[in-house]
Amino acid sequence: MTLIQTAVHTVGVALFGYSLYYDLLYVHPSPELLAEKKRFQVAKLWPGKWKYLTIWNVVLQLAYHVIALLNDLVGSSELNTKRQTFLQKLRDGYFASWVFPTGMDCLGESN
């Protein structure tokens, strides 16, 4: 566990946590868009911002940084798989299977 690694994960938790908080509480669709949706009677079925991969990416990144920070504080960073803690295995598997692929796909959406 290094101090830089812990600091990076702490900043990640703070930034992704605040951005998700702000987006969910203060960012709302425009009244024109809501009027358009109500006209077609699909307002109840409209998932809002949860239909976009970018918001899911923020949720996944936040969860990853929380797991990584917990691993920095109470887990291990062993290279030997027999001595790795559950938190380290969870962090590594979660990053490789969900966080990295979703993050790379969200980078590709800007084209």
Side-chain angles (χ1 to χ4, degrees):
M1 169 181 71
T2 65
L3 186 61
I4 295 173
Q5 189 176 11
T6 305
V8 167
H9 292 136
T10 303
V11 169
V13 168
L15 288 176
F16 285 113
Y18 180 73
S19 65
L20 187 62
Y21 163 79
Y22 184 85
D23 188 56
L24 293 177
L25 263 59
Y26 297 111
V27 178
H28 302 292
S30 66
E32 295 86 17
L33 180 64
L34 290 176
E36 183 74 20
K37 294 293 179 185
K38 286 180 184 174
R39 191 175 80 186
F40 290 108
Q41 298 297 321
V42 295
K44 293 183 221 172
L45 302 175
W46 186 52
K49 58 184 85 175
W50 291 104
K51 67 182 171 185
Y52 298 111
L53 185 60
T54 51
I55 193 78
W56 287 104
N57 183 38
V58 171
V59 171
L60 291 172
Q61 293 283 344
L62 175 62
Y64 169 74
H65 282 283
V66 167
I67 293 169
L69 182 62
L70 287 174
N71 183 60
D72 291 342
L73 298 176
V74 296
S76 68
S77 291
E78 293 286 333
L79 295 177
N80 186 356
T81 57
K82 292 182 181 180
R83 294 190 303 185
Q84 290 178 345
T85 61
F86 173 74
L87 274 175
Q88 183 182 358
K89 291 178 183 178
L90 178 67
R91 178 198 67 182
D92 294 344
Y94 182 66
F95 180 78
S97 61
W98 287 98
V99 178
F100 183 73
T102 307
M104 291 304 293
D105 191 48
C106 285
L107 278 176
E109 288 179 5
S110 63
N111 294 338

